[in-house]
Amino acid sequence: MDVQATTPLDPRVLDAMLPYLINYYGNPHSRTHAYGWESEAAMERARQQVASLIGADPREIIFTSGATESNNIAIKGVARFYRSRKKHLITTQTEHKCVLDSCRSLEAEGFQVTYLPVQKSGIIDLKELEAAIQPDTSLVSVMTVNNEIGVKQPIAEIGQICSSRKVYFHTDAAQAVGKIPLDVNDMKIDLMSISGHKIYGPKGVGAIYIRRRPRVRVEALQSGGGQERGMRSGTVPTPLVVGLGAACEVAQQEMEYDHKRISKLAERLIQNIMKSLPDVVMNGDPEHHYPGCINLSFAYVEGESLLMALKDVALSSGSACTSASLEPSYVLRAIGTDEDLAHSSIRFGIGRFTTEEEVDYTVEKCIQHVKRLREMSPLWEMVQDGIDLKSIKWTQH
Amino acid sequence: MAAAGAGRLRRAASALLLRSPRLPARELSAPARLYHKKVVDHYENPRNVGSLDKTSKNVGTGLVGAPACGDVMKLQIQVDEKGKIVDARFKTFGCGSAIASSSLATEWVKGKTVEEALTIKNTDIAKELCLPPVKLHCSRKKGMRNISLNASMEVY
């Protein structure tokens, strides 16, 4: 139940990819023979499939190796192209690491970046965004759906603000594409990052949408033979992009049904856990929220120990022990979660292939083990005795 | 010929995907992130979880750590007139390694005198449980000393 980390291949996607892994192995940029022509045709078909999912023109879709690369191209590419006149970017504190790291590397190049804070709900304050835009701001980057807490940012409103102030708007839509309806024109999005393996497509492929009208100029990160309109050189991997295209087409067909089913399963999970366990907090705004990503904090129980208990279920946690750096999740810190609750958080992911049995099993095990771990917890014991944990002077070590 | 082969392969792959119980259902045989089985054992069958009567004169309680750090350990020892630890109980808010470390610590101190218990080092615990270096803080020595000291001071 960790679909925010990755998703299995939809069988229909594998079906579409196989011929291009076996027989139709031509390089789509070979102009002189049928191997090349048929691969090119498949690549362009896939481009159309991706474009139609987000309301774009196929000429605005560039294939990349994944959303990380797309984010790098969007942020560094736009910033560097306009660097003579514009030196400022805006992003949020809850973005994916690749966005934050790209911004940090731009700061080292002399750019100035504003990292907008988020409210307790996880959503940015639109007034703060407006106030942060300067005359020399080239780009605003705000992710559509957060990968840790599932919160949906007000993308259409942000697009409106950016377009009225003539600032480019980029959104990392890796967790949103194919799951909620997106339209780059309605929402006034100028750049968008797409990831293959978050939407039941293959790993190692993604795409970036770059608006043509009005044209957004981007400095290419990767030099080479000029493929993908010079914006991303390198042979386009036909089987992978065919898989991405198929995944987008399937997502478009299944979006409504998937959303309804996942919402029901999410309701079921949250309700059943909360009615059997006290002191469980859901992180992130429950209303502006994508149902398939549920982040819960179980007070007085540490996240990693709970993960160890739920060993037959694949989950992830915002606890320090599970991160390489021993620091709890920066997203939870940004929404103001108390540190001890940040250590107690678990992310449940529900996807197209998650079954009701799996949800019920996870809920049952979760309740059982949280109860057991609370029995072992000195904090729970103290709370039961009526002690206010906030009044205690904890020792340092 | 090649086309027929591809078609057969594709059908077989699709059939395989659709028919097989999806991979997530397979037995996850390796314990999470390759925990040593001693850690898993202590975690699943922790020894000496619980509490001793903290108002009793022979019982010393030590509490170390902070929820903000993700680690809080409470260790209680019951000491007889000769200064020997006859019983120990623990409660921990922390990761699997922290729980295992506390559980092992209670096993080790039983039957020792308070002075002997103070010599137990976190490196000993880490070695016994085969903890990776990053987990050393979970069995920190200062914590142990603190707890033992606090506990023994309460008793005397």
Side-chain angles (χ1 to χ4, degrees), chain A residues 38-53:
Chain A
E38 68 201 0
S39 290
E40 192 190 7
M43 178 178 77
E44 293 307 321
R45 255 197 316 274
R47 207 186 295 277
Q48 174 63 61
Q49 287 166 322
V50 176
S52 78
L53 181 59

Side-chain angles (χ1 to χ4, degrees), chain A residues 15 18 22-23 300-302 304-305 308-309 311 321 339-340 343 353 358 375-376 378-379 381 394-395 397, chain B residues 2 6 9-10 14 22 33 35 43-44 51 65 67-70 74 91-96 99 135 140:
Chain A
D15 269 357
L18 270 177
I22 299 166
N23 284 333
Y300 322 119
V301 171
E302 205 263 348
E304 206 248 16
S305 60
M308 215 167 139
K311 57 184 181 214
C321 268
E339 287 226 354
D340 53 330
H343 282 286
F353 301 111
E358 285 169 343
E375 286 304 306
M376 283 172 65
L379 302 178
E381 188 184 44
W394 299 101
T395 62
H397 42 73
Chain B
L9 200 66
R10 191 170 81 181
S14 307
R22 282 183 327 282
R33 280 155 57 245
Y35 270 119
Y43 172 77
E44 298 194 334
S51 298
C69 300
K74 182 184 85 156
K91 282 206 173 187
T92 298
F93 164 84
C95 63
I99 294 175
K135 291 289 184 186
R140 69 193 72 76

Side-chain angles (χ1 to χ4, degrees), chain A residues 2-13:
Chain A
D2 200 14
V3 291
Q4 280 71 36
T6 191
T7 54
L9 267 189
D10 189 300
R12 292 163 281 192
V13 169

Side-chain angles (χ1 to χ4, degrees), chain A residues 27-93:
Chain A
N27 184 321
H29 314 291
S30 299
R31 315 236 85 162
T32 55
H33 48 67
Y35 285 104
W37 303 329
E38 68 201 0
S39 290
E40 192 190 7
M43 178 178 77
E44 293 307 321
R45 255 197 316 274
R47 207 186 295 277
Q48 174 63 61
Q49 287 166 322
V50 176
S52 78
L53 181 59
I54 58 172
D57 183 292
R59 290 169 296 179
E60 295 171 313
I61 303 291
I62 304 290
F63 290 117
T64 63
S65 64
T68 296
E69 189 188 341
S70 304
N71 283 333
N72 268 263
I73 294 175
I75 294 170
K76 294 177 181 164
V78 169
R80 288 175 186 160
F81 189 89
Y82 295 99
R83 86 171 102 215
S84 54
R85 286 178 292 128
K86 310 234 173 162
K87 283 261 171 179
H88 179 238
L89 296 96
I90 300 174
T91 186
T92 74
Q93 290 176 2

Side-chain angles (χ1 to χ4, degrees), chain A residues 338-341 383 387-394, chain B residues 67:
Chain A
D338 285 335
E339 287 226 354
D340 53 330
L341 281 182
V383 164
I387 302 176
D388 175 12
L389 294 179
K390 295 214 196 298
S391 65
I392 301 199
K393 278 207 171 56
W394 299 101

Side-chain angles (χ1 to χ4, degrees), chain A residues 9-17 200 243 246-247 250-251 253-254 258 352-353, chain B residues 14 17-18:
Chain A
L9 267 189
D10 189 300
R12 292 163 281 192
V13 169
L14 181 63
D15 269 357
M17 287 171 69
Y200 312 94
V250 168
Q253 295 162 358
E254 304 279 355
D258 275 352
R352 183 181 293 161
F353 301 111
Chain B
S14 307
L17 253 185
L18 291 169

